[in-house]
């Protein structure tokens, strides 16, 4: 058994973690199931939904001067501080909207329309909210769109492949933290350092939607100009997208009311629960961090918690791929193919894409559901997958995405079901 499977949470802590989330072992109707589609929408923290209900029940406008309004302003201020804590960001501005996709389009528009340059650089593995935004505004501004190719061996994008496309005329570089197909992580620190060595004032935007719940983000080590997350994939709720912009990016021309400050990105009345959700997410990670450090500094606690989440998920990934005890891992079950497999699990988030024999991925997904498991297909017929899969010459597969909330026993149950579906002994 690989040594890092020793990093699993204790049974007591695992139980405490599960108790903080809704519907971990069953669906909304109470039907027992394994939910392994967290890349499409993660387990919700109970505290997030409690605060959402509490605050959205308040009719008071956050822009008023009376007591309740000031309370809502305090909620937002703390949420903004906690979002900065999550990213280790200093200064800058926060843009809250309904979706992470909308805030990405807003950031791309602001940079592409205002920053000089003849080309824009992105990668083939980007989510459509990045790739389509870059394509749209490159066309509108008459700039060349340069696209870094994927590496079918690693399932990701090589740093060399990205930086070779950057030059003195690059307006903006926009990259993803981790692939939502393979789970391959980008070496963002190397990308930022090497790209800025070519053009020191280069604007860099980052899509952290997939990666944020799985690993630590530190903007002091990777100073970028804009980064977004989707709280519904980070233990939060739908109807919220959050982005942070650097001081210089925040003052680029963008949609705003004339009377607001140049760096203000909000439109319309604020939504206090969006910011309260940030506080609850960060507080949960800090609570987890408290189990492993004596520090009382909030960022230290958050770093500790995210580090333990990453170690737990790496252990789960090892269990998923190589098994444990008498249970075979995906790599060792006959007729099961692990697409874009890579031996160094430190370069992976907890996402695996598989195929079973020559079965259609959609049929495999439905058969898993009949057996009480929720996963999802990624196929070339989907606008969310086609470009990425085509780059790997893969027609489709089944994406498996557990979360740190799961246990090795959950993984073993999934592996036993998979072996049965493949017609092989577990």
């Amino acid at each position: 058994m690989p040594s890092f499977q020793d990093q699993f949470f204790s049974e007591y802590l695992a139980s405490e973690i599960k108790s903080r989330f809704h519907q971990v072992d069953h669906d909304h109707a109470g039907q027992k199931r394994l939910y392994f589609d967290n890349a499409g929408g993660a387990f919700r923290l109970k505290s997030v939904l409690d605060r959402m209900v509490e605050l959205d029940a308040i009719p008071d406008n956050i822009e008023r001067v009376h007591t309740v309004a000031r309370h809502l302003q305090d909620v937002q201020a703390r949420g903004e501080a906690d979002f900065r804590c999550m990213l280790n960001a200093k200064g800058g501005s926060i843009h809250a909207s309904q979706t992470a996709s909308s805030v990405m389009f807003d950031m791309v528009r602001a940079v592409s329309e205002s920053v000089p340059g003849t080309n824009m650089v992105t990668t083939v593995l980007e989510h459509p909210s990045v790739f389509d935004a870059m394509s749209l505004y490159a066309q509108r501004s008459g700039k060349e769109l340069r696209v870094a190719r994927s590496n079918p061996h690693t399932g990701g994008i090589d740093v060399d492949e990205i930086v070779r496309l950057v030059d003195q005329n690059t307006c903006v570089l926009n990259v993803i933290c981790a692939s939502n197909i393979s789970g391959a992580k980008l070496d963002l620190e190397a990308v930022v350092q090497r790209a800025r060595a070519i053009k020191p004032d280069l604007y860099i935007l980052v899509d952290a939607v997939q990666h944020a719940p799985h690993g630590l983000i530190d903007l002091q080590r990777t100073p970028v100009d804009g980064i977004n997350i989707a709280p519904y994939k980070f233990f939060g709720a739908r109807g919220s997208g959050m982005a942070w912009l650097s001081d210089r990016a925040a003052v680029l021309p963008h949609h705003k009311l004339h009377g607001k400050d140049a760096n203000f990105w909000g439109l319309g009345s604020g939504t206090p629960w969006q910011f309260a959700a940030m506080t609850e997410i960060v507080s949960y990670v800090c609570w987890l961090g408290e189990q492993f450090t004596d520090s009382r500094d909030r960022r230290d606690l958050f770093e500790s918690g995210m580090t333990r989440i990453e170690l737990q998920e790496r252990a789960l990934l090892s269990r998923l791929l190589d098994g444990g005890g008498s249970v075979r891992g995906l790599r060792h079950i006959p007729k099961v193919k692990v697409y874009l497999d890579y031996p160094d699990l430190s370069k992976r988030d907890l996402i695996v894409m598989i195929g079973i024999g020559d079965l259609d991925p959609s049929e495999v997904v439905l058969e898993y559901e009949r057996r009480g498991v929720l996963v999802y297909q990624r196929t070339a017929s989907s606008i969310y997958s086609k470009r990425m899969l085509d780059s790997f010459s893969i027609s489709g597969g089944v994406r498996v995405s557990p979360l740190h909330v799961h246990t090795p026993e959950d993984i073993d149950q999934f592996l036993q079901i998979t072996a049965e579906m493949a017609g092989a002994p577990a």
Side-chain angles (χ1 to χ4, degrees):
M1 179 185 296
S3 60
F4 42 74
Q5 285 199 29
D6 295 338
Q7 299 294 330
F8 284 124
F9 294 139
S10 68
E11 289 187 15
Y12 171 77
L13 183 55
S15 176
E16 285 291 303
I17 288 170
K18 281 195 174 188
S19 73
R20 282 166 165 75
F21 289 85
H22 282 291
Q23 300 176 22
V24 175
D25 298 315
H26 58 82
D27 66 16
H28 70 287
Q31 184 70 33
K32 186 177 180 180
R33 71 172 181 179
L34 275 178
Y35 183 79
F36 278 19
D37 189 25
N38 287 276
F43 292 130
R44 307 312 198 225
L45 277 167
K46 293 176 181 177
S47 62
V48 167
L49 298 192
D50 288 346
R51 289 287 278 159
M52 182 179 180
V53 171
E54 172 194 344
L55 291 168
D56 223 32
I58 297 173
D60 304 58
N61 191 308
I62 192 173
E63 296 186 3
R64 301 297 187 256
V65 298
H66 54 258
T67 303
V68 176
R70 290 199 300 272
H71 167 65
L72 297 178
Q73 291 161 17
D74 290 343
V75 168
Q76 178 163 330
R78 184 177 179 191
E80 290 181 350
D82 280 327
F83 188 38
R84 287 186 171 88
C85 174
M86 177 188 292
L87 304 173
N88 202 18
K90 311 298 181 186
S93 294
I94 291 171
H95 179 21
S97 186
Q98 282 192 308
T99 68
S101 294
S102 66
V103 295
M104 179 56 75
F105 266 81
D106 289 343
M107 291 191 294
V108 172
R109 177 181 182 176
V111 177
S112 64
E113 290 185 341
S114 303
V115 176
T118 59
N119 69 79
M120 300 162 61
V121 177
T122 190
T123 86
V124 73
L125 295 188
E126 302 304 312
H127 186 276
S129 62
V130 172
F131 196 90
D132 293 358
M134 292 286 283
S135 299
L136 173 65
Y137 288 109
Q139 182 180 23
R140 286 190 178 180
S141 59
K143 296 180 175 67
E144 174 193 4
L145 181 64
R146 298 177 177 178
V147 182
R149 300 165 298 192
S150 62
N151 182 333
H153 175 63
T154 65
I157 304 284
D158 296 340
V159 175
D160 288 345
E161 172 63 15
I162 296 172
V163 297
R164 75 175 181 84
L165 301 177
V166 176
D167 59 30
Q168 289 297 317
N169 293 312
T170 301
C171 162
V172 58
L173 168 63
N174 199 338
V175 294
I176 198 167
C177 278
S179 168
N180 61 15
I181 294 290
S182 68
K185 294 188 285 190
L186 181 69
D187 187 347
L188 185 59
E189 187 171 354
V191 169
V192 171
Q193 290 177 353
R194 293 181 56 187
R196 290 254 172 80
I198 296 169
K199 185 177 181 180
D201 63 347
L202 177 66
Y203 279 77
I204 301 176
L205 303 178
V206 172
D207 173 7
V209 169
Q210 180 55 58
H211 177 64
H214 304 292
L216 195 64
I217 296 170
D218 188 345
L219 295 190
Q220 299 310 299
R221 297 177 63 88
T222 57
V224 300
D225 291 286
I227 186 168
N228 70 334
I229 72 161
Y232 82 97
K233 294 190 179 183
F234 200 165
F235 327 145
R238 286 188 176 87
S240 177
M242 304 287 289
W244 175 89
L245 298 104
S246 68
D247 288 324
R248 65 172 185 162
V251 297
L252 293 174
H254 57 277
H255 288 154
K256 63 178 287 294
L257 302 180
H258 290 308
K260 298 290 187 178
D261 292 340
N263 65 349
F264 188 80
W265 280 65
L267 284 173
S269 297
T271 309
W273 73 257
Q274 286 186 283
F275 298 93
M278 287 295 100
T279 292
E280 295 304 324
I281 292 166
V282 171
S283 293
Y284 163 74
V285 176
C286 288
W287 164 80
L288 183 56
E290 285 177 359
Q291 317 307 311
F292 302 95
T293 180
D294 293 328
S295 175
R296 299 276 69 87
D297 177 81
R298 196 155 173 83
R299 175 63 188 184
D300 287 348
L301 291 170
F302 186 82
E303 288 184 4
S304 173
M306 288 307 304
T307 298
R308 298 308 306 189
I309 284 174
E310 188 170 8
L311 291 173
Q312 166 78 359
E313 293 195 345
R314 192 172 302 162
L316 291 170
L317 181 57
S318 171
R319 186 78 156 221
L320 188 62
L321 293 171
D322 291 316
S326 61
V327 180
R328 295 197 219 182
L330 294 172
R331 287 169 170 166
H332 309 291
I333 300 175
K335 297 185 180 179
V336 172
K337 178 176 178 56
V338 180
Y339 293 105
L340 306 169
D341 196 6
Y342 193 67
D344 187 351
L345 301 189
S346 69
K347 300 185 183 302
R348 281 289 195 274
D349 282 340
L350 185 50
I351 289 179
V352 174
M353 192 170 72
I354 65 171
I356 299 180
D358 58 0
L359 297 177
D360 181 88
S362 299
E363 289 301 316
V364 174
V365 166
L366 292 176
E367 181 58 29
Y368 269 120
E369 184 179 18
R370 284 189 283 269
R371 295 169 184 257
V373 179
L374 254 290
V375 290
Y376 195 63
Q377 70 265 27
R378 299 281 74 183
T379 63
S381 62
S382 167
I383 63 169
Y384 296 101
S385 307
K386 178 176 174 53
R387 178 177 9 89
M388 302 82 147
L389 292 174
D390 285 350
S391 78
F392 294 125
S393 299
I394 297 172
S395 61
V398 175
R399 185 176 66 183
V400 183
S401 53
L403 202 64
H404 75 277
V405 182
H406 287 113
T407 64
E409 291 75 23
D410 294 329
I411 299 296
D412 291 351
Q413 182 183 350
F414 173 79
L415 292 173
Q416 289 165 352
I417 291 171
T418 302
E420 291 170 4
M421 289 172 56

